Amino acid sequence: MARRIAQTALMSIGHRKMRRTRLRGLAVAGCLLAPVAVSAQSDLSSPGLSVSGQFDFGLRSYLDDGRYAGQSDAGAQVFFGTTVNATMPLGTGQVVLQFSASADTDGARDAFNLQRAYYTRSFGDWDLLAGMNVDTWGVAESRSVMNVLNPQDGTDVIYGGDFVGTPMINASYYSDFGTFSAYALTGFVEPVSPGASSRLRAPFPVADGQAVYQEGDGRHLDFAFRWRNNFALGDGALDVAASYFNGTSRTPVGLLGCAPTGGVTDATCDAVNAAVVDAFRSGDPAVSSVRDLFDQLADLPEDVVEQAVQQVSAIPGLGIVPYYQHIQQGGLSAVYARGDLQVRTELAFTKPDNMDGYWSGVVGGDYTFHGIGPADASLTLVAEYLWDDRSMRAPSVLFGNDLFLGLNLFLNDSRDTAIRLGGFHDLDSDAQLFQLSASTRLNDAVRLDLTALHVRADGWSDPLSFVDRDSFVELKISTYF
């Protein structure tokens, strides 16, 4: 993990080709107009129209001052958001719409995401879908290596950002031999990247509008295939799936280059970044050595590194260029369930063009205990191991040799109270990431959520060291309609 510091958390995402001012307008408009649209639902005359969703309001409090230039000090930030779901019959099929929007007082979490806007119809043993959609294939509890169709937005990348809708045509055939699915991905939507004020980011901002694609501008046709089936096995059941993807990777390589900030023009950055990408494509070691530079941090005094990182983060015109490679990926997942025990695995082999391929995977499972205490609660214990052997020239990964442990407690009460706790432990650097979430319903239409994240990284030998000042506690209230 340490060798990938220059490609840390935020390098697993791209960004939309729009200025953040426009994005903020979309996010705020989406949050404000959603309740208005829903309140007008009773006036809509379309038969069968169904609209539902939620409106969120909350506070997130960071425990420490931000490390990088432009980040907030310790304290609370106000945020709000909304999610809207709508379905309507159309002929013999159905139209589905889902979008979400969020914004906060610092503009750090502004995002608008059209996740689903498609038409679907069944023809006997066939299902056909056309439009924007999110289709996830992962089975792991911690992190998945199988979700290759949709990128994730970067507003909360470490805690887990939402998947971004991708335009596609999907046909599925159901048979006695399993479900066969084919996907034609007709476009690519760059997810939102955090700005300079955002927490949970790398020292360098993502260069706005400077994303580069190995193949064109992301508008070419990608395709994927998947087969899934389930079998009885002993006293349990086995669910297996195999997949193949060929197209633009939804996770970019982050190259240190030019960002149009601090008076640096777009034209200047275009020229600089074109040279950086060309050098990377040709295998120039000077480009790869950007990551190697951060390998040396672990050998330097911590106070020297701390000061240097803060100063470098304030250099105008310095940013990271998302470079989207063309890849092929084959994947296999399996889940075996027997009573209260579930064992699962994900395995993927990814081959970027003109580079060595690499393996990644997750293996583990969980066991659920029932009838705990007078409330008849249930407790699920989770354990998974994550590994990844990608090279320095592949997109970075935070969890390349890590152990994940978690527990999920469901009180099974009238308020649907649930508590989830999970933690990652890096077996190379001993860095740790802990996540806590607790939720309960206040009434039929209002839910209260408490979320906390804590990062512990000693020294600078792990990418998590760049976000170890970004631990937070968050309280959110959601109203459902």
Side-chain angles (χ1 to χ4, degrees), residues 227-310:
W227 167 81
R228 180 181 178 184
N229 204 355
N230 55 76
F231 311 89
L233 182 61
D235 295 329
L238 177 66
D239 189 304
V240 295
S243 61
Y244 172 76
F245 172 82
N246 188 317
T248 297
S249 173
R250 270 49 185 170
T251 303
V253 177
L255 303 176
L256 187 58
C258 178
T261 60
V264 180
T265 65
D266 286 331
T268 299
C269 284
D270 288 342
V272 171
N273 293 335
V276 169
V277 171
D278 286 344
F280 178 80
R281 287 171 172 170
S282 65
D284 189 338
V287 178
S288 297
S289 66
V290 172
R291 294 196 220 178
D292 295 331
L293 173 64
F294 288 95
D295 267 343
Q296 310 304 318
L297 296 179
D299 300 326
L300 299 175
E302 289 190 25
D303 56 338
V304 174
V305 176
E306 179 78 26
Q307 183 178 5
V309 167
Q310 292 178 358

Side-chain angles (χ1 to χ4, degrees), residues 343-362:
V343 180
R344 53 186 172 265
T345 186
E346 296 182 15
L347 181 65
F349 180 76
T350 306
K351 176 65 173 69
D353 285 3
N354 304 319
M355 295 184 186
D356 294 334
Y358 57 89
W359 292 92
S360 55
V362 185

Side-chain angles (χ1 to χ4, degrees), residues 3-4 291 352 355-358 388-397:
R3 301 189 352 162
R4 302 189 176 97
R291 294 196 220 178
M355 295 184 186
D356 294 334
Y358 57 89
D388 194 298
D389 68 356
R390 68 185 62 195
S391 72
M392 292 282 288
R393 296 177 63 80
S396 66
V397 61

